[in-house]
Amino acid sequence: MGLRRGLLAVHAHPDDESLFTGGVLAQHAAEGIPTAVVTCTDGEVAEGAPFAPPGTRAEELARALTVLRAGRPDILPYRDSGPLGRGHGSLCAAPFDALVAALVTRIRLLRPAAVATYDAFGVYGHPDHVRVHRAVLAAVHAAAHGGVQPEAGPPWEVHSVWLATVPESLVRELTALGLEAPLPCTPDDRISAAVDVRPWLDVKWEAVRAHASEFARGARISAFQEPRLRRLCLGTEWFLHHPGPAARPAAAPRARPRLLADPF
């Protein structure tokens, strides 16, 4: 069954769904709005020593999605390209058209009103994030065109694409605390939606904690165990808005949409 007016989040790695969109996924689920997540790699590294036993990250993803009530895992057959964006079987080594085709198939099957992914910088510059950003934008427009990939089913027009980003004001706050912050960031006056997800922060944090292997290896998410930093960085989710094919010129985005899957 398709999501119809629901929210589809497309991410590169297990844990991204919880960190960048866990709050809005939990929010939509609480409102009875269907959600789904496509994860473009299994989280296993294409080059170098693995961070965890094979299959661990996929199992963690399944637990996180259960917490977020976002359906079952849907993982594409690629591996983590790492910070250099390379490696046999990696997402960055895969043909771009094949990645777009896989996403077109899912968009037409699920029929979401809204799709969420990363901004053009991939939030913090990971090559897989950047590739997913580009593939999602291409797939959203290809899915709406009946002449593209007709074997994937009838065309579907997404209304809105929401691009997770980091606002300049957050970077200033983190820098004032003496902490490393992702750069470049987005000027605050360009932010389309700053969603207060504190009502769902406990759920979001439980989903983040499901990715235990990332904590075990000392990944950057370990920093959020400090409550103040957790509220600051995870209590709001920031997005840029990219109109989808279903959007019409008169349907400009509201300054503060309540739900990403709401029509304007």
Side-chain angles (χ1 to χ4, degrees):
M1 180 184 297
L3 298 178
R4 295 185 298 278
R5 286 180 53 195
L7 173 65
L8 170 64
V10 182
H11 289 289
H13 314 112
D15 80 11
D16 293 340
E17 81 295 327
S18 300
L19 284 170
F20 302 120
T21 54
V24 293
L25 288 168
Q27 176 198 26
H28 283 66
E31 296 272 351
I33 298 172
T35 61
V37 173
V38 173
T39 308
C40 294
T41 78
D42 59 8
E44 311 289 342
V45 292
E47 289 189 353
F51 296 136
T56 297
R57 299 204 66 195
E59 293 172 1
E60 292 171 346
L61 174 63
R63 288 195 286 272
L65 294 181
T66 297
V67 171
L68 296 171
R69 296 162 57 194
R72 298 172 62 83
D74 183 2
I75 304 174
L76 301 188
Y78 305 116
R79 292 194 163 187
D80 186 331
S81 308
L84 299 180
R86 65 190 187 193
H88 179 72
S90 71
L91 183 64
C92 285
F96 185 73
D97 285 353
L99 174 58
V100 172
L103 296 178
V104 166
T105 297
R106 284 155 175 82
I107 290 168
R108 289 183 177 169
L109 174 66
L110 295 171
R111 298 178 295 161
V115 175
T117 190
Y118 319 98
D119 65 11
F121 186 55
V123 181
Y124 60 86
H126 193 293
D128 285 340
H129 291 200
V130 173
R131 192 167 183 83
V132 169
H133 162 84
R134 295 171 180 170
V136 167
L137 293 185
V140 162
H141 290 279
H145 197 296
V148 177
Q149 212 174 317
E151 71 281 2
W156 179 255
E157 293 187 349
V158 170
H159 189 279
S160 296
V161 182
W162 296 96
L163 308 174
T165 194
V166 175
E168 192 174 41
S169 57
L170 177 62
V171 170
R172 287 197 300 267
E173 289 187 72
L174 292 174
T175 302
L177 293 172
L179 300 171
E180 179 185 358
L183 292 171
C185 51
T186 299
D188 285 57
D189 60 5
R190 287 190 54 219
I191 300 292
S192 303
V195 184
D196 180 1
V197 298
R198 287 174 297 178
W200 302 277
L201 184 54
D202 288 346
V203 175
K204 177 176 179 174
W205 181 237
E206 183 181 353
V208 172
R209 289 290 302 167
H211 297 280
S213 65
E214 290 294 277
F215 288 87
R217 76 179 184 90
R220 67 177 66 201
I221 63 175
S222 301
F224 300 132
Q225 294 182 98
E226 199 282 307
R228 179 186 175 191
L229 192 60
R230 182 161 68 244
R231 287 191 297 272
L232 177 63
C233 295
L234 303 187
T236 304
E237 292 173 358
W238 298 270
F239 298 92
L240 301 170
H241 178 252
H242 179 91
R248 299 295 179 255
R254 293 192 298 266
R256 292 292 181 265
R258 193 176 68 86
L259 291 164
L260 301 190
D262 272 349
F264 295 117

